[in-house]
Amino acid sequence: MNAIATETSFPTTRENIAGIPIRDIAKKFGTPTYVYDANVIAQKVNDLKQFDVIRFAQKACSNIGILNRLRQHGVVVDAVSAGEIQRAFAAGYTAHGTPHQVVYTADIFDQAALDLIVKNRLHVNVGSPSMIDQLGEVLPGHDITLRINPGFGHGHSRKTNTGGSGSKHGIWHEQVDECLIRADRYGLTVTGLHMHIGSGTDLEHLAHVCGAMEKTARSVGRTITTISAGGGLPVPYRVGQSYVDIAQYYSLWDATRQRLQNEFGHAVSLEIEPGRYLVAESGYLVAEIRAIKQMGENTYYLVDAGFNDLARPILYGAYHPISIASRDGRALTSTHPVVIGGPLCESGDIFTQDEGGYVSSRELPVAQIGDYLILEVAGAYGFVMASNYNSKFRAPEVLIENGKMLEIRRRETFADLIAAESLGN
Ligand SMILES: *Cc1c(COP(=O)(O)O)cnc(C)c1O
């Protein structure tokens, strides 16, 4: 009810991405190819400029070319692994600075991550009580943030719910005092609190999250200088879905922050930590239709991208808008219901499926072999979840910026595929 009703429509034909003909992109880079529109990312950053700190959850899209652009827009990053810490450095972020340019957020330390954290004295957002001891032993006297599980959650599927007793994430809200005692043993100071619950578009739910944050912050006390609202800002993937009203979202969090500032007598910085919101709508996966066949009552378009390229449909039954671009510029007029499948030797390799794996169809233009099929709103949890299943080479990533096509990752080769393997002789 508080959601912004969007007029978002998703046309099923498309000629260009960021002003460049899809044909030109496909001819230059082949298919499948991920394409990102740099302008969209810049707009999304601008939407959130009221927050003191925008921290990008890079797991949504961690290409260093994208991270570099976000850095130039003043966005800092979150890292959930040793690899993501190193990506942040490769993109030009440094270990120091205010706000922390790189924060490690996880429910465990693996040895590689802990080594990098110690070497670079990185700030950690601690998601399990055990991590306090493990960090305290190697970095006594450090500042830390606690990720709190307030005892309730919100998420669009069981697999993406990030709070409540059924979630593995964060420190249980009733164990905060115990964690402060643990932190004291090592001289660790809790300077930040974090809750990544997400609220969808439900601002009433958000008010509960803000309330839980305020209560926890009061119980920790005056050492708190930062609160983080986490991520979870939605983007519409289909007609009828909407954005959250960011002005209202901000004002709820800002009021929480103000009350804490008054109570503590010092500034409290308000962070937001989006992944999806900043990148989802910038991204497209361009594929080519390679077979069209009739199976009983179903028409199938089989394309050269599969769940090795975009896993969200098979993982979550996620819906992506789909459009078609003709190879030769002919007009696409009539439509019919089609099922879209990929090339993998696995019957679940279907882009048009609902949660639970039920195959569904989509009303799309009548197409020919060689036409392009574009999976849209694919910039978040797209390429980053790609795999080499079936020994497929991972797709290239192309950033379109100021009318130029920049290859920010090349297509993999067979040499890449076996680079870490040996014959075992
Ligand atoms: C995944 C994640 C985010 C980003 O979530 P989105 O839904 O993509 O906005 C933010 N913070 C943490 C700790 C996360 O794990």
Side-chain angles (χ1 to χ4, degrees), residues 113-133:
L114 192 55
D115 291 347
L116 276 171
I117 288 159
V118 172
K119 180 164 169 239
N120 296 287
R121 305 187 62 80
L122 288 178
H123 190 76
V124 177
N125 177 9
V126 168
S128 299
S130 320
M131 291 174 74
I132 298 174
D133 304 302

Side-chain angles (χ1 to χ4, degrees), residues 57 59-60 78 105 147 194 196 230-233 273-277 381:
K59 72 173 196 272
D78 184 53
T105 296
R147 175 176 182 173
H194 172 278
H196 171 64
L233 292 178
E273 195 177 66
R276 183 186 317 282
Y277 187 80
Y381 308 104

